[in-house]
Amino acid sequence: MVKFGSAYHFMYILLSALYAVILFVCLRKKDKKAQHKILTILAFVNLALHFAKLMFKPYRTDLPYSLSRITFDNICAASTIIFPFLFLMKKQNVLHDYMFFIGIVGGVGAILFPDINASAGNFSFDIVRFYFCHSNLFTLPLLASVFNIYRPRLKKFYAIPLLFIAHLTLIFLNEIFLVKVGLINSNMTEFLDKNIRNASFVFGLSD
């Protein structure tokens, strides 16, 4: 793993923050239509990278089982798949309010507490992809709010916990699907074990 508190860890945190600042500076003088278009494109770039990781180690060497990693297998993966299509919606709805919340919490959380294989080196494709994708998860909804494209509304805050439960339910159903198609070998005891495949704490807090 990228060691917590290491120089590489802090370097990627700073680069993630710098990316957000640079993107803000580049877009702040553009009209809202152009801002929306660029943010939407970046959301689809994130989605493409989510699937492209299968072409690189360690996923390439673990096919077909690594196919499970391009599904809704955790909060950030599900967000990466869903966000591009939310950006295609021109009229704001409660899903955009949730996108702001989960994008910042999930993206920042993953950057501060990375869960990524560093066996190929701290500058491997997968690590750079990991930080770039998670930077986009918090940067894109944040800038959409700053530029008044999708600004979170406090009056809709009541829906956030309900949508979060729906988000976790999607991950839970995805786990069942992965077991059924054989991409995960699991029995009922292992399936419900909070210390196995439980990155999003769907089965409770791990030890």
Side-chain angles (χ1 to χ4, degrees):
M1 301 297 179
V2 174
K3 187 177 180 181
F4 180 80
S6 67
Y8 288 108
H9 183 210
F10 283 111
M11 178 194 71
Y12 279 115
I13 291 174
L14 291 174
L15 287 176
S16 298
L18 184 62
Y19 169 72
V21 172
I22 292 174
L23 193 56
F24 167 74
V25 171
C26 291
L27 296 181
R28 65 191 175 109
K29 292 185 178 181
K30 295 185 179 296
D31 60 71
K32 188 177 292 187
K33 184 177 180 180
Q35 292 169 342
H36 189 189
K37 183 177 181 180
I38 293 171
L39 294 179
T40 302
I41 290 172
L42 286 172
F44 275 98
V45 168
N46 243 28
L47 179 61
L49 286 172
H50 181 66
F51 291 100
K53 64 186 178 184
L54 291 178
M55 300 168 60
F56 299 87
K57 293 181 179 181
Y59 310 101
R60 186 181 63 196
T61 56
D62 194 35
L63 286 169
Y65 300 104
S66 57
L67 288 171
S68 65
R69 300 303 301 275
I70 61 170
T71 64
F72 304 96
D73 74 333
N74 59 59
I75 287 174
C76 291
S79 298
T80 299
I81 295 171
I82 294 170
F83 279 12
F85 303 99
L86 296 184
F87 272 99
L88 290 178
M89 299 179 184
K90 294 183 178 180
K91 187 175 181 180
Q92 181 166 351
N93 58 59
V94 70
L95 293 176
H96 295 110
D97 301 316
Y98 180 70
M99 179 176 70
F100 177 84
F101 163 77
I102 200 65
I104 291 179
V105 172
V108 172
I111 287 170
L112 294 180
F113 302 98
D115 180 16
I116 181 69
N117 191 313
S119 60
N122 286 294
F123 296 103
S124 67
F125 167 83
D126 196 41
I127 290 180
V128 174
R129 178 206 60 81
F130 175 91
Y131 278 97
F132 178 76
C133 287
H134 287 85
S135 295
N136 275 324
L137 282 184
F138 80 82
T139 299
L140 302 187
L142 179 62
L143 292 186
S145 174
V146 170
F147 297 139
N148 202 24
I149 298 171
Y150 304 122
R151 180 156 287 182
R153 301 160 296 179
L154 290 177
K155 65 179 181 179
K156 298 291 184 179
F157 189 77
Y158 70 89
I160 301 301
L162 298 177
L163 287 171
F164 183 65
I165 292 173
H167 200 155
L168 294 183
T169 301
L170 174 62
I171 297 169
F172 175 77
L173 294 174
N174 184 73
E175 287 293 302
I176 295 176
F177 170 77
L178 294 176
V179 172
K180 291 295 184 180
V181 299
L183 291 178
I184 295 177
N185 294 318
S186 178
N187 55 42
M188 183 58 67
T189 300
E190 292 177 346
F191 180 76
L192 296 175
D193 194 315
K194 63 184 181 179
N195 293 308
I196 300 176
R197 285 192 57 81
N198 189 30
S200 298
F201 302 136
V202 172
F203 302 107
L205 293 176
S206 63
D207 292 340

